[in-house]
Amino acid sequence: MVLMTLTASHRDLDLDVLEQLSSGAHSVGTEVVADSHEITGCVVLATCNRFEVYLDVAESCRGTDDALAAVTATVARTSGLAVADVRDSLQARVGADVAQHLFAVASGLDSMVVGEREVAGQVRRALHTARAQRTTSPRLERLFQTASRTSRAVGARTGLAGTGRSVVGVALDIAGHVLADEGLDLAHARVLLIGTGSYAGASVTALQARGVRDVAVHSPSGRAAVFAAERDLEAVDPGTLPDQLARADVVLSCSGALGPVIDTDMVVAARRAATESGGRPRPVVLIDLALHHDIDPKVAGVDGVHLVDLATVQQHSPTTVTPAVTAGLDIVDRAAQEFEAGLAELEVVPAVVALRTEVDRTVRAEVDRVRARAGAEAAAQVERSLRRVTAALMHGPTVRAREHARAGQVDRYRDGVEAVFGVTLPSGVEPVPGDREAGQGVAG
Protein backbone atom coordinates (compact mmCIF):
# COMPACT_ATOMS: atom_id res chain seq x y z
CA MET A 1 0.00 0.00 0.00
CA VAL A 2 1.06 3.60 -0.57
CA LEU A 3 -0.28 6.97 0.56
CA MET A 4 -1.57 9.38 -2.07
CA THR A 5 -3.25 12.78 -1.98
CA LEU A 6 -5.11 14.84 -4.56
CA THR A 7 -5.18 18.51 -3.63
CA ALA A 8 -6.54 21.83 -4.78
CA SER A 9 -6.04 25.08 -2.90
CA HIS A 10 -6.17 28.86 -3.05
CA ARG A 11 -2.61 28.80 -4.38
CA ASP A 12 -3.66 27.28 -7.69
CA LEU A 13 -7.37 27.86 -8.19
CA ASP A 14 -10.06 30.49 -8.04
CA LEU A 15 -12.08 30.28 -4.84
CA ASP A 16 -15.21 29.78 -6.95
CA VAL A 17 -13.70 26.62 -8.43
CA LEU A 18 -12.70 25.44 -4.95
CA GLU A 19 -16.26 26.03 -3.79
CA GLN A 20 -17.65 23.82 -6.52
CA LEU A 21 -15.06 21.09 -5.98
CA SER A 22 -15.99 21.02 -2.30
CA SER A 23 -19.75 21.03 -2.80
CA GLY A 24 -20.06 17.25 -2.48
CA ALA A 25 -17.13 16.67 -0.10
CA HIS A 26 -19.29 14.95 2.53
CA SER A 27 -19.87 11.89 0.32
CA VAL A 28 -16.56 11.61 -1.55
CA GLY A 29 -14.84 9.37 1.00
CA THR A 30 -17.56 6.75 1.25
CA GLU A 31 -18.07 6.64 -2.51
CA VAL A 32 -14.44 6.18 -3.55
CA VAL A 33 -13.80 3.48 -0.93
CA ALA A 34 -16.93 1.64 -2.00
CA ASP A 35 -16.28 2.01 -5.73
CA SER A 36 -12.54 1.26 -6.01
CA HIS A 37 -10.80 -2.01 -5.14
CA GLU A 38 -7.47 -0.16 -5.18
CA ILE A 39 -8.46 2.30 -2.41
CA THR A 40 -8.62 0.97 1.16
CA GLY A 41 -8.91 4.31 2.96
CA CYS A 42 -9.92 7.91 2.31
CA VAL A 43 -9.94 11.14 4.35
CA VAL A 44 -11.34 14.34 2.84
CA LEU A 45 -10.14 17.75 4.04
CA ALA A 46 -12.37 20.58 2.79
CA THR A 47 -11.86 24.08 4.20
CA CYS A 48 -12.54 27.62 3.08
CA ASN A 49 -9.41 27.62 0.94
CA ARG A 50 -8.59 24.02 0.08
CA PHE A 51 -10.05 20.70 -1.04
CA GLU A 52 -7.88 17.63 -0.47
CA VAL A 53 -8.44 13.90 -0.68
CA TYR A 54 -6.02 11.58 1.16
CA LEU A 55 -5.93 7.96 0.05
CA ASP A 56 -4.46 4.62 1.09
CA VAL A 57 -3.89 2.94 -2.26
CA ALA A 58 -2.69 -0.45 -3.47
CA GLU A 59 0.96 -0.11 -4.54
CA SER A 60 0.63 -1.77 -7.92
CA CYS A 61 1.26 -0.77 -11.49
CA ARG A 62 -2.38 0.39 -11.73
CA GLY A 63 -3.05 1.39 -8.12
CA THR A 64 -2.43 5.12 -8.22
CA ASP A 65 -3.80 5.51 -11.74
CA ASP A 66 -7.03 3.74 -10.79
CA ALA A 67 -7.27 5.80 -7.59
CA LEU A 68 -6.87 9.03 -9.55
CA ALA A 69 -9.56 7.97 -11.99
CA ALA A 70 -11.93 6.91 -9.20
CA VAL A 71 -11.57 10.13 -7.22
CA THR A 72 -11.81 12.29 -10.34
CA ALA A 73 -15.03 10.58 -11.40
CA THR A 74 -16.54 10.84 -7.91
CA VAL A 75 -15.67 14.51 -7.43
CA ALA A 76 -17.01 15.31 -10.92
CA ARG A 77 -20.27 13.55 -10.07
CA THR A 78 -20.69 15.22 -6.64
CA SER A 79 -19.63 18.69 -7.78
CA GLY A 80 -21.20 18.89 -11.22
CA LEU A 81 -17.87 19.75 -12.84
CA ALA A 82 -16.59 18.01 -15.95
CA VAL A 83 -14.20 15.12 -15.38
CA ALA A 84 -11.47 16.87 -17.37
CA ASP A 85 -11.85 20.04 -15.27
CA VAL A 86 -11.60 18.06 -12.03
CA ARG A 87 -8.52 16.24 -13.28
CA ASP A 88 -6.87 19.53 -14.21
CA SER A 89 -7.74 21.04 -10.82
CA LEU A 90 -6.29 18.32 -8.61
CA GLN A 91 -2.57 17.98 -7.97
CA ALA A 92 -1.42 14.43 -7.17
CA ARG A 93 1.25 13.55 -4.61
CA VAL A 94 2.40 10.02 -3.81
CA GLY A 95 4.58 8.54 -1.07
CA ALA A 96 6.86 10.76 0.98
CA ASP A 97 5.41 13.98 -0.47
CA VAL A 98 2.03 13.22 1.14
CA ALA A 99 3.24 13.52 4.73
CA GLN A 100 5.36 16.57 3.90
CA HIS A 101 2.31 18.33 2.46
CA LEU A 102 -0.21 17.44 5.17
CA PHE A 103 2.17 18.33 8.00
CA ALA A 104 2.72 21.77 6.45
CA VAL A 105 -1.03 22.21 5.96
CA ALA A 106 -1.86 21.20 9.55
CA SER A 107 0.79 23.59 10.86
CA GLY A 108 -0.69 26.56 8.99
CA LEU A 109 2.36 26.89 6.77
CA ASP A 110 0.44 26.37 3.53
CA SER A 111 -2.55 28.54 4.46
CA MET A 112 -4.00 31.64 2.89
CA VAL A 113 -2.83 33.40 6.06
CA VAL A 114 0.52 31.83 6.90
CA GLY A 115 0.68 30.65 10.50
CA GLU A 116 -3.08 30.47 11.08
CA ARG A 117 -4.11 27.79 13.59
CA GLU A 118 -7.74 27.02 12.70
CA VAL A 119 -6.63 24.49 10.08
CA ALA A 120 -5.24 22.20 12.80
CA GLY A 121 -8.75 21.69 14.11
CA GLN A 122 -10.05 21.15 10.59
CA VAL A 123 -7.47 18.40 10.06
CA ARG A 124 -8.58 16.67 13.28
CA ARG A 125 -12.24 16.93 12.31
CA ALA A 126 -11.50 15.47 8.85
CA LEU A 127 -10.08 12.36 10.51
CA HIS A 128 -13.04 12.13 12.91
CA THR A 129 -15.43 12.32 9.97
CA ALA A 130 -13.57 9.55 8.15
CA ARG A 131 -13.76 7.41 11.29
CA ALA A 132 -17.49 8.01 11.55
CA GLN A 133 -17.91 7.07 7.89
CA ARG A 134 -15.59 4.06 8.33
CA THR A 135 -13.34 5.18 5.48
CA THR A 136 -10.07 5.65 7.33
CA SER A 137 -7.20 3.13 7.40
CA PRO A 138 -4.28 2.37 9.74
CA ARG A 139 -1.83 4.36 7.59
CA LEU A 140 -4.17 7.33 7.29
CA GLU A 141 -4.79 7.25 11.05
CA ARG A 142 -1.05 7.34 11.62
CA LEU A 143 -0.61 10.11 9.03
CA PHE A 144 -3.27 12.41 10.47
CA GLN A 145 -2.35 11.79 14.10
CA THR A 146 1.28 12.61 13.29
CA ALA A 147 0.12 15.73 11.44
CA SER A 148 -1.65 16.94 14.59
CA ARG A 149 1.42 16.30 16.74
CA THR A 150 3.59 18.12 14.21
CA SER A 151 1.19 21.08 14.21
CA ARG A 152 1.43 21.33 17.99
CA ALA A 153 5.22 21.15 17.82
CA VAL A 154 5.37 23.94 15.23
CA GLY A 155 3.07 26.13 17.30
CA ALA A 156 4.99 25.54 20.50
CA ARG A 157 8.54 25.86 19.16
CA THR A 158 8.20 28.71 16.68
CA GLY A 159 5.88 31.17 18.39
CA LEU A 160 3.42 30.99 15.47
CA ALA A 161 0.68 29.81 17.86
CA GLY A 162 0.75 33.15 19.63
CA THR A 163 0.67 35.45 16.60
CA GLY A 164 -3.12 35.41 16.31
CA ARG A 165 -2.86 35.21 12.52
CA SER A 166 -5.98 33.77 10.93
CA VAL A 167 -8.42 34.30 8.10
CA VAL A 168 -10.96 35.85 10.47
CA GLY A 169 -8.22 37.98 12.04
CA VAL A 170 -7.23 39.46 8.67
CA ALA A 171 -10.91 40.04 7.81
CA LEU A 172 -11.48 41.89 11.09
CA ASP A 173 -8.36 43.99 10.54
CA ILE A 174 -9.75 45.05 7.17
CA ALA A 175 -13.12 45.81 8.77
CA GLY A 176 -11.40 47.86 11.45
CA HIS A 177 -9.70 50.05 8.86
CA VAL A 178 -12.97 50.56 6.98
CA LEU A 179 -14.80 51.56 10.17
CA ALA A 180 -11.97 53.85 11.22
CA ASP A 181 -12.34 55.73 7.92
CA GLU A 182 -15.98 56.24 8.89
CA GLY A 183 -15.06 57.45 12.38
CA LEU A 184 -16.03 54.26 14.24
CA ASP A 185 -13.80 52.05 16.41
CA LEU A 186 -14.25 48.31 15.83
CA ALA A 187 -14.27 47.73 19.58
CA HIS A 188 -17.44 49.83 19.84
CA ALA A 189 -19.16 48.32 16.81
CA ARG A 190 -22.38 46.33 16.88
CA VAL A 191 -21.55 42.92 15.38
CA LEU A 192 -23.99 40.37 13.99
CA LEU A 193 -22.45 36.89 13.84
CA ILE A 194 -24.11 34.35 11.56
CA GLY A 195 -23.21 30.74 12.33
CA THR A 196 -22.59 28.57 15.38
CA GLY A 197 -19.95 26.10 14.23
CA SER A 198 -16.30 25.82 15.19
CA TYR A 199 -15.36 28.72 12.91
CA ALA A 200 -17.98 30.91 14.56
CA GLY A 201 -16.40 30.05 17.91
CA ALA A 202 -13.00 31.13 16.60
CA SER A 203 -14.60 34.33 15.30
CA VAL A 204 -15.98 35.15 18.75
CA THR A 205 -12.52 34.69 20.22
CA ALA A 206 -11.02 37.01 17.58
CA LEU A 207 -13.72 39.64 18.19
CA GLN A 208 -13.22 39.58 21.94
CA ALA A 209 -9.44 39.86 21.48
CA ARG A 210 -10.12 43.13 19.67
CA GLY A 211 -12.31 44.44 22.48
CA VAL A 212 -15.66 43.84 20.78
CA ARG A 213 -18.42 43.17 23.32
CA ASP A 214 -21.67 43.94 21.47
CA VAL A 215 -22.21 40.67 19.55
CA ALA A 216 -25.51 39.14 18.49
CA VAL A 217 -25.72 35.61 17.06
CA HIS A 218 -28.03 34.29 14.36
CA SER A 219 -28.10 30.64 13.32
CA PRO A 220 -29.78 29.35 10.14
CA SER A 221 -29.91 25.96 11.86
CA GLY A 222 -31.58 27.27 15.02
CA ARG A 223 -28.68 26.78 17.45
CA ALA A 224 -28.12 30.44 18.29
CA ALA A 225 -29.60 30.29 21.81
CA VAL A 226 -27.28 27.56 23.07
CA PHE A 227 -24.21 29.02 21.35
CA ALA A 228 -24.93 32.53 22.70
CA ALA A 229 -25.65 31.34 26.24
CA GLU A 230 -22.33 29.49 26.43
CA ARG A 231 -20.48 32.68 25.46
CA ASP A 232 -22.60 35.34 27.15
CA LEU A 233 -23.78 36.76 23.82
CA GLU A 234 -27.17 37.86 22.53
CA ALA A 235 -29.16 35.30 20.52
CA VAL A 236 -31.14 36.62 17.56
CA ASP A 237 -34.65 35.37 16.95
CA PRO A 238 -34.87 34.28 13.27
CA GLY A 239 -37.81 36.58 12.71
CA THR A 240 -35.79 39.65 13.75
CA LEU A 241 -32.89 39.11 11.32
CA PRO A 242 -33.88 42.12 9.13
CA ASP A 243 -33.92 44.40 12.19
CA GLN A 244 -30.56 43.06 13.32
CA LEU A 245 -29.09 43.71 9.88
CA ALA A 246 -30.24 47.32 10.09
CA ARG A 247 -28.64 47.76 13.53
CA ALA A 248 -25.30 46.09 12.75
CA ASP A 249 -22.07 47.90 11.96
CA VAL A 250 -20.38 44.60 11.08
CA VAL A 251 -21.92 41.34 9.90
CA LEU A 252 -19.61 38.32 10.12
CA SER A 253 -20.99 35.22 8.46
CA CYS A 254 -19.50 31.72 8.54
CA SER A 255 -22.48 29.39 8.76
CA GLY A 256 -21.60 26.97 5.99
CA ALA A 257 -25.19 26.98 4.78
CA LEU A 258 -25.79 25.70 1.25
CA GLY A 259 -26.85 29.01 -0.23
CA PRO A 260 -26.95 32.69 0.75
CA VAL A 261 -28.29 33.51 4.20
CA ILE A 262 -28.30 37.21 3.31
CA ASP A 263 -29.36 38.35 -0.15
CA THR A 264 -29.24 41.71 -1.86
CA ASP A 265 -32.88 42.63 -1.14
CA MET A 266 -32.35 42.04 2.58
CA VAL A 267 -29.29 44.29 2.58
CA VAL A 268 -31.04 47.05 0.59
CA ALA A 269 -33.96 46.98 3.03
CA ALA A 270 -31.60 47.05 6.01
CA ARG A 271 -29.67 50.01 4.56
CA ARG A 272 -32.93 51.86 4.05
CA ALA A 273 -33.89 51.21 7.67
CA ALA A 274 -30.46 52.35 8.83
CA THR A 275 -30.69 55.75 7.12
CA GLU A 276 -29.33 58.45 9.37
CA SER A 277 -30.87 61.89 9.93
CA GLY A 278 -28.80 63.33 7.10
CA GLY A 279 -30.43 60.94 4.64
CA ARG A 280 -27.33 58.75 4.22
CA PRO A 281 -27.46 55.06 5.21
CA ARG A 282 -25.01 54.22 7.96
CA PRO A 283 -22.10 52.23 6.41
CA VAL A 284 -21.82 48.54 7.18
CA VAL A 285 -19.06 45.95 6.71
CA LEU A 286 -20.25 42.52 5.59
CA ILE A 287 -17.68 39.75 6.16
CA ASP A 288 -18.38 36.49 4.37
CA LEU A 289 -15.97 33.71 5.37
CA ALA A 290 -18.07 30.83 4.02
CA LEU A 291 -16.73 29.04 0.98
CA HIS A 292 -20.28 28.63 -0.29
CA HIS A 293 -21.13 32.34 0.09
CA ASP A 294 -23.41 33.06 3.04
CA ILE A 295 -23.78 36.57 1.63
CA ASP A 296 -24.75 37.20 -1.98
CA PRO A 297 -21.64 38.76 -3.63
CA LYS A 298 -23.92 41.25 -5.41
CA VAL A 299 -24.35 43.17 -2.14
CA ALA A 300 -20.98 44.77 -2.90
CA GLY A 301 -22.87 47.09 -5.28
CA VAL A 302 -25.20 48.42 -2.57
CA ASP A 303 -24.45 51.96 -1.41
CA GLY A 304 -22.71 52.06 1.97
CA VAL A 305 -21.81 48.37 1.96
CA HIS A 306 -18.21 47.17 2.24
CA LEU A 307 -17.96 43.45 1.42
CA VAL A 308 -15.00 41.46 2.76
CA ASP A 309 -14.90 37.89 1.47
CA LEU A 310 -12.25 35.20 1.17
CA ALA A 311 -10.92 36.73 -2.03
CA THR A 312 -10.41 40.01 -0.16
CA VAL A 313 -8.59 38.22 2.63
CA GLN A 314 -6.40 36.49 0.08
CA GLN A 315 -5.46 39.83 -1.48
CA HIS A 316 -4.46 41.18 1.93
CA SER A 317 -2.46 38.11 2.94
CA PRO A 318 0.80 38.07 0.97
CA THR A 319 2.96 35.04 1.62
CA THR A 320 5.86 36.02 3.83
CA VAL A 321 8.87 33.97 4.87
CA THR A 322 9.91 34.80 8.42
CA PRO A 323 12.36 33.06 10.76
CA ALA A 324 9.38 31.48 12.52
CA VAL A 325 8.01 30.10 9.25
CA THR A 326 11.43 28.78 8.26
CA ALA A 327 11.77 27.10 11.66
CA GLY A 328 8.30 25.61 11.23
CA LEU A 329 9.16 24.19 7.83
CA ASP A 330 12.28 22.60 9.32
CA ILE A 331 10.13 20.90 11.97
CA VAL A 332 7.79 19.68 9.24
CA ASP A 333 10.71 18.29 7.22
CA ARG A 334 12.05 16.32 10.17
CA ALA A 335 8.61 15.03 11.12
CA ALA A 336 7.93 13.89 7.55
CA GLN A 337 11.27 12.07 7.36
CA GLU A 338 10.61 10.35 10.67
CA PHE A 339 7.11 9.40 9.55
CA GLU A 340 8.41 7.80 6.38
CA ALA A 341 11.09 5.95 8.35
CA GLY A 342 8.36 4.66 10.67
CA LEU A 343 6.31 3.38 7.75
CA ALA A 344 9.39 1.66 6.36
CA GLU A 345 9.97 -0.07 9.69
CA LEU A 346 6.45 -1.46 9.56
CA GLU A 347 7.40 -3.32 6.41
CA VAL A 348 10.11 -5.26 8.22
CA VAL A 349 8.01 -6.07 11.29
CA PRO A 350 6.72 -9.39 9.81
CA ALA A 351 10.29 -10.61 9.35
CA VAL A 352 11.25 -9.76 12.95
CA VAL A 353 8.05 -11.29 14.34
CA ALA A 354 8.54 -14.46 12.30
CA LEU A 355 12.15 -14.77 13.44
CA ARG A 356 11.22 -14.26 17.10
CA THR A 357 8.39 -16.78 16.76
CA GLU A 358 10.79 -19.38 15.36
CA VAL A 359 13.30 -18.78 18.16
CA ASP A 360 10.53 -18.95 20.74
CA ARG A 361 9.31 -22.27 19.25
CA THR A 362 12.83 -23.71 19.57
CA VAL A 363 13.14 -22.52 23.19
CA ARG A 364 9.76 -23.97 24.15
CA ALA A 365 10.63 -27.31 22.57
CA GLU A 366 13.83 -27.52 24.61
CA VAL A 367 12.06 -26.48 27.83
CA ASP A 368 9.39 -29.14 27.25
CA ARG A 369 12.10 -31.77 26.71
CA VAL A 370 13.86 -30.82 29.97
CA ARG A 371 10.55 -30.78 31.87
CA ALA A 372 9.72 -34.29 30.69
CA ARG A 373 13.17 -35.59 31.68
CA ALA A 374 14.09 -33.59 34.80
CA GLY A 375 10.93 -31.96 36.12
CA ALA A 376 9.37 -28.50 36.35
CA GLU A 377 12.07 -26.87 38.50
CA ALA A 378 14.86 -27.81 36.11
CA ALA A 379 12.75 -26.71 33.16
CA ALA A 380 12.17 -23.29 34.76
CA GLN A 381 15.92 -22.81 35.26
CA VAL A 382 16.67 -23.79 31.70
CA GLU A 383 13.95 -21.48 30.34
CA ARG A 384 15.35 -18.48 32.27
CA SER A 385 18.82 -19.15 30.88
CA LEU A 386 17.62 -19.64 27.33
CA ARG A 387 15.51 -16.48 27.44
CA ARG A 388 18.56 -14.41 28.47
CA VAL A 389 20.66 -15.96 25.71
CA THR A 390 18.03 -15.55 22.99
CA ALA A 391 17.34 -11.94 24.02
CA ALA A 392 21.03 -11.16 23.55
CA LEU A 393 21.21 -13.06 20.27
CA MET A 394 18.07 -11.39 18.88
CA HIS A 395 19.25 -7.87 19.66
CA GLY A 396 21.58 -7.71 16.65
CA PRO A 397 19.09 -8.97 14.03
CA THR A 398 16.41 -6.66 15.44
CA VAL A 399 18.63 -3.58 15.23
CA ARG A 400 19.72 -4.63 11.73
CA ALA A 401 16.03 -4.83 10.77
CA ARG A 402 15.45 -1.20 11.67
CA GLU A 403 18.61 -0.10 9.89
CA HIS A 404 17.68 -1.98 6.71
CA ALA A 405 14.14 -0.59 6.81
CA ARG A 406 15.33 3.00 7.08
CA ALA A 407 17.81 2.40 4.27
CA GLY A 408 15.06 1.06 2.01
CA GLN A 409 16.53 -2.47 2.07
CA VAL A 410 13.60 -4.45 3.50
CA ASP A 411 13.76 -7.12 0.78
CA ARG A 412 17.46 -7.63 1.43
CA TYR A 413 16.81 -8.17 5.14
CA ARG A 414 13.91 -10.55 4.48
CA ASP A 415 16.02 -12.59 2.05
CA GLY A 416 18.78 -12.80 4.65
CA VAL A 417 16.46 -14.04 7.39
CA GLU A 418 14.95 -16.67 5.11
CA ALA A 419 18.38 -17.79 3.87
CA VAL A 420 20.14 -17.96 7.27
CA PHE A 421 17.33 -19.14 9.53
CA GLY A 422 15.14 -21.00 7.05
CA VAL A 423 12.08 -19.03 8.16
CA THR A 424 9.25 -18.54 5.70
CA LEU A 425 8.08 -14.95 6.05
CA PRO A 426 4.59 -13.51 5.49
CA SER A 427 4.23 -10.87 2.79
CA GLY A 428 3.27 -7.96 5.06
CA VAL A 429 1.47 -6.70 8.13
CA GLU A 430 -1.01 -3.92 8.80
CA PRO A 431 -0.24 -1.68 11.80
CA VAL A 432 -2.88 -1.27 14.45
CA PRO A 433 -4.90 1.94 13.84
CA GLY A 434 -3.37 4.80 15.78
CA ASP A 435 -0.60 2.61 17.23
CA ARG A 436 2.14 5.12 17.99
CA GLU A 437 4.61 2.34 18.75
CA ALA A 438 3.94 0.27 15.63
CA GLY A 439 6.96 1.70 13.85
CA GLN A 440 9.18 1.17 16.90
CA GLY A 441 8.44 -2.49 17.41
CA VAL A 442 11.62 -3.65 15.64
CA ALA A 443 13.93 -1.69 17.91
CA GLY A 444 13.49 -3.63 21.15
Side-chain angles (χ1 to χ4, degrees):
M1 306 299 293
V2 65
L3 293 175
M4 178 179 184
T5 185
L6 303 172
T7 68
S9 78
H10 64 97
R11 293 183 181 278
D12 310 304
L13 297 176
D14 237 16
L15 291 174
D16 289 340
V17 178
L18 276 177
E19 176 186 350
Q20 196 161 357
L21 281 172
S22 302
S23 58
H26 62 282
S27 64
V28 169
T30 53
E31 291 194 27
V32 298
V33 171
D35 294 346
S36 174
H37 296 298
E38 304 291 341
I39 299 173
T40 61
C42 178
V43 179
V44 179
L45 175 63
T47 76
C48 66
N49 53 48
R50 69 181 61 253
F51 172 74
E52 305 189 339
V53 182
Y54 290 83
L55 305 166
D56 199 350
V57 181
E59 190 174 15
S60 63
C61 59
R62 293 181 52 197
T64 55
D65 289 341
D66 284 357
L68 175 59
V71 172
T72 300
T74 299
V75 173
R77 184 168 60 253
T78 58
S79 67
L81 290 168
V83 171
D85 291 338
V86 173
R87 187 185 301 111
D88 291 342
S89 298
L90 296 176
Q91 178 182 356
R93 294 179 175 85
V94 180
D97 290 342
V98 175
Q100 179 85 24
H101 176 72
L102 179 60
F103 296 176
V105 168
S107 301
L109 300 174
D110 191 61
S111 295
M112 183 181 293
V113 178
V114 176
E116 60 103 356
R117 307 302 298 166
E118 285 92 344
V119 69
Q122 293 165 336
V123 167
R124 290 194 299 272
R125 288 190 291 277
L127 178 59
H128 292 162
T129 298
R131 287 173 180 165
Q133 295 179 340
R134 299 182 181 277
T135 64
T136 188
S137 73
R139 285 179 181 79
L140 289 173
E141 286 274 353
R142 189 182 184 93
L143 174 71
F144 273 73
Q145 290 179 14
T146 307
S148 292
R149 291 196 294 273
T150 303
S151 174
R152 291 193 293 272
V154 170
R157 299 177 194 172
T158 65
L160 287 173
T163 62
R165 292 174 60 82
S166 66
V167 170
V168 66
V170 172
L172 289 176
D173 288 344
I174 297 170
H177 291 307
V178 172
L179 293 176
D181 290 341
E182 300 290 345
L184 178 63
D185 186 348
L186 176 62
H188 300 132
R190 165 76 173 182
V191 177
L192 173 61
L193 176 65
I194 298 177
T196 55
S198 58
Y199 213 77
S203 297
V204 171
T205 300
L207 286 165
Q208 292 175 341
R210 287 161 173 76
V212 179
R213 295 293 177 265
D214 189 357
V215 181
V217 182
H218 167 70
S219 171
S221 59
R223 292 192 291 263
V226 174
F227 182 91
E230 291 174 346
R231 295 164 177 79
D232 196 25
L233 307 175
E234 175 190 344
V236 173
D237 186 289
T240 66
L241 180 57
D243 294 335
Q244 294 292 337
L245 280 175
R247 293 179 56 200
D249 300 301
V250 176
V251 177
L252 198 166
S253 192
C254 51
S255 77
L258 298 179
V261 178
I262 297 174
D263 59 30
T264 304
D265 290 342
M266 294 171 65
V267 173
V268 170
R271 294 300 83 218
R272 189 179 301 118
T275 299
E276 299 171 328
S277 56
R280 177 175 178 266
R282 191 175 69 254
V284 63
V285 181
L286 303 181
I287 302 175
D288 186 0
L289 299 184
L291 185 58
H292 298 290
H293 296 299
D294 279 351
I295 302 173
D296 187 341
K298 294 178 182 177
V299 303
V302 178
D303 185 38
V305 171
H306 300 269
L307 177 64
V308 177
D309 58 12
L310 290 171
T312 312
V313 172
Q314 186 176 26
Q315 293 168 5
H316 286 77
S317 304
T319 301
T320 56
V321 178
T322 66
V325 170
T326 300
L329 291 172
D330 288 341
I331 293 171
V332 164
D333 287 343
R334 291 194 296 272
Q337 292 169 11
E338 189 63 27
F339 176 81
E340 286 301 312
L343 285 187
E345 288 177 21
L346 291 177
E347 295 184 30
V348 82
V349 166
V352 176
V353 171
L355 180 57
R356 286 177 173 172
T357 300
E358 179 64 18
V359 170
D360 184 66
R361 186 191 63 78
T362 303
V363 168
R364 287 185 181 279
E366 178 63 17
V367 170
D368 289 343
R369 189 184 67 80
V370 172
R371 182 181 293 109
R373 187 182 63 185
E377 184 175 348
Q381 292 177 348
V382 169
E383 182 171 10
R384 285 194 293 271
S385 296
L386 289 177
R387 295 296 179 191
R388 285 195 295 270
V389 171
T390 56
L393 290 175
M394 280 298 299
H395 178 71
T398 303
V399 171
R400 296 291 88 74
R402 188 173 190 175
E403 292 174 348
H404 278 71
R406 287 179 173 252
Q409 299 174 338
V410 173
D411 289 342
R412 182 178 178 184
Y413 181 84
R414 290 169 56 89
D415 291 344
V417 169
E418 290 183 334
V420 174
F421 296 97
V423 178
T424 301
L425 301 178
S427 59
V429 66
E430 279 291 325
V432 176
D435 184 2
R436 294 179 62 181
E437 305 303 323
Q440 301 172 9
V442 299

